[in-house]
Structure formats: C-alpha cells, structure tokens
Amino acid sequence: MFNFLEQLRLMNPADSEIEITGKSFEGRDLRLLKIGISGDKPIIWIDGGTHAREWIGPATNMYMAYQVALAKQQCSKDGPCDAETRHLVETYDWYFQPSVNPDGYEFSQKNVRKSSSSHNSLTMNCSQDRLWRKTRSESNIAPWGVMCRGADPNRNYKANWGKDGSSGNPCSQTYAGTHYHSEAEILALTNKVSTIADRIRMFISLHSYSQIFLLPYGYTDEIPPEYDELERVAIQGAEALKARRGTEYRIGSSARILYAASGTASDWAFETSKIKYSYTFELPDTGDKGFVLPAEEIRPVGDETWAGVRAMVLALP
Ligand code: 0X9
Ligand code: ZN
C-alpha cells in the first residue's frame, strides 16, 4: 500500500505529497496522500481501514486516489479531461488516508497467510483474526484482570464519547478506549483534521459492509437540521453509483437505520469539527460474503463508489 501511494504521488509530483501524520501503536506510519497541495482550496477527505477486517475500505480508497491522480495528470497535460473532471481536480485538494488502523489491518492479513501454509490447532484458534476489528493497543485491563487488546477506533472520537452504542468493557468489539483519543491512530487523525477542518468540504469514512450511506447522527436517533441537505447530496451519489452496475445503497442516519454508535468519526467531523458534509459509507456487500469480500470485487466496487463520490462532490453547492 505504501508503494502504491508513492506511485500515485509520482503521477503528479509537483502537486502531490505524502504526509506522515503520526505512528500507530505498533509504530507503523500513518500516511496521508494529498493530491492537490494548494494550501487554500477546499478539501475532500476520504479515509478507510478504520476497522481492520473491512478490507474493501482501503482498496476502494486507493482505487479512488488513483482515479483522482489520473484525472489530475490528464487535466494538467493534454489528456482527456471533461469539464466535470476538471472541476473536481481544480476546485478541490483531495486527501486520502487508506489505512487509519494499519496494526489491525496487518493483524487481519497475517493470519490469512499463516492459515494458508499450515492448519494446526494453533492457527485454527487464530482463524477469527481475519475478522479483527479494533486497534492493537495494550493498555486495556478488564476489572477481572484479563487484558484484551485494542479499542474500537470508531468509538474513540471526542463526540459523545462513551455513550450509547459503545462499551466500557475492554474485551468488547465496541470498546470505546480508556478515554477519548486514547488510540494513537485516532489522536493523529484528529490532530491532523483539526488543523484543516475549516477547509474540509466533505469528510468520508469508508467502512463495510451493508451498502448504506450513513448520515449524522450515530449517537442519537435525532437528526440534525442539515440532514435534508446531506441527504440530497447522498441521493445524487446513490443514483450515480447505481447507474454503474445496479448496486443499490440505502441512505439514513446511523442511529435510525443501523444502530446507535457514539464516538464515531463522522459525528466527530460533523459535530465537533463542524464539517457539514460528513458521511460514513458502508461498502458492499449486504452480507453474502460480508467482510470477506472476494478480490474480484475490488475494481467494480472501486468504480461504482468513485461514480458515487464524483456525483456527491459535483452536487456540492
Ligand atoms: O459500527 C460502526 O462503527 C459502523 N459500522 S461497521 O460495521 N463498519 O463497524 C457504523 C458507524 C456509523 N455511525 C456513524 N457513522 N455515526
Ligand atoms: Zn467499520
């Protein structure tokens, strides 16, 4: 992934940059690819890989980064460049962080490689690790003395932290962490976004699965006054996405159509950072393969999701 990000940067070397915004718990770089480094244009922020097992998120993030890099390259030379594409790359700086939780991602990958080479009882015990969700931090001792690793990074944000739909039990899949921004990965992301929040026009976090565009709020089933406008933009995205190969998305607030979730990235972006167009995408599928989506789906999901994002950004006032 790091190599690929570097290749994308080199497609527009004068207009792109990779910033290391921090380190993960285990010391991996948190890398942010910026395509467009104007310093003053509005920013489209797209992240992915918050939850380790949701592999289609990082893949779709990088697919879209490639589309933007290619468009930028073609529009700045004399390649094919229609008016809408030109608008997208000339109006905005595009920021991509494909792996918010690299430790968790690596942990979910490692066990796939292990289990394909040997099938002893130890690796069978680890087979669940393909479905690892959280970070890999180690500070979490349950009252009964057991240490369970990791917090749910999408419950760790300073936005109604620790309330409905998050857990205080370190062994829970939705453990909120010892305090908000306890996870190095989330501290780094929030520190970075805070410095540019006034420029971020749209904030998208890629998750899977369910095929839903989630709008604020996650922590309550009330909806914000801006909801109708966010929905209008999401409908544009869902229609353009569906036109590619028929994939249907639902649109709704997390607490209403999924479940309550407090301390999420999109509530933090929306409520704490005042980024109005804040979305969480639950990418395909709807449960057949679930988190273990086959690799053949990477390109079609990337293609249709990009069509959706394009339409949403074009629909911005
Ligand atoms: O539970 C989550 O963190 C997200 N679903 S997932 O299956 N990818 O884990 C949904 C969070 C939705 N809430 C908000 N975005 N507010
Ligand atoms: Zn997720």
Side-chain angles (χ1 to χ4, degrees), residues 68-79:
V68 173
L70 188 63
K72 183 116 186 147
Q73 189 181 56
Q74 290 177 336
C75 292
S76 67
K77 305 216 177 94
D78 48 4

Side-chain angles (χ1 to χ4, degrees), residues 23-44:
K23 298 272 189 194
S24 68
F25 176 80
E26 292 177 335
R28 293 186 177 84
D29 283 359
L30 302 168
R31 294 195 190 186
L32 178 69
L33 171 66
K34 306 172 189 174
I35 305 173
I37 49 170
S38 71
D40 55 12
K41 289 179 186 172
I43 293 166
I44 308 298

Side-chain angles (χ1 to χ4, degrees), residues 18-19 29 40 77 81 108 143 146 172 174 178 237 243 268 284:
I18 293 171
E19 181 179 332
D29 283 359
D40 55 12
K77 305 216 177 94
C81 175
S108 70
V146 171
S172 163
T174 53
T178 52
W268 176 81

Side-chain angles (χ1 to χ4, degrees), residues 50-51 54 133 154 206-209 282 291:
T50 296
H51 289 138
E54 299 166 10
R133 167 178 168 96
N154 210 30
L206 301 176
H207 286 250
S208 69
Y209 59 91
E282 295 288 356
F291 299 118

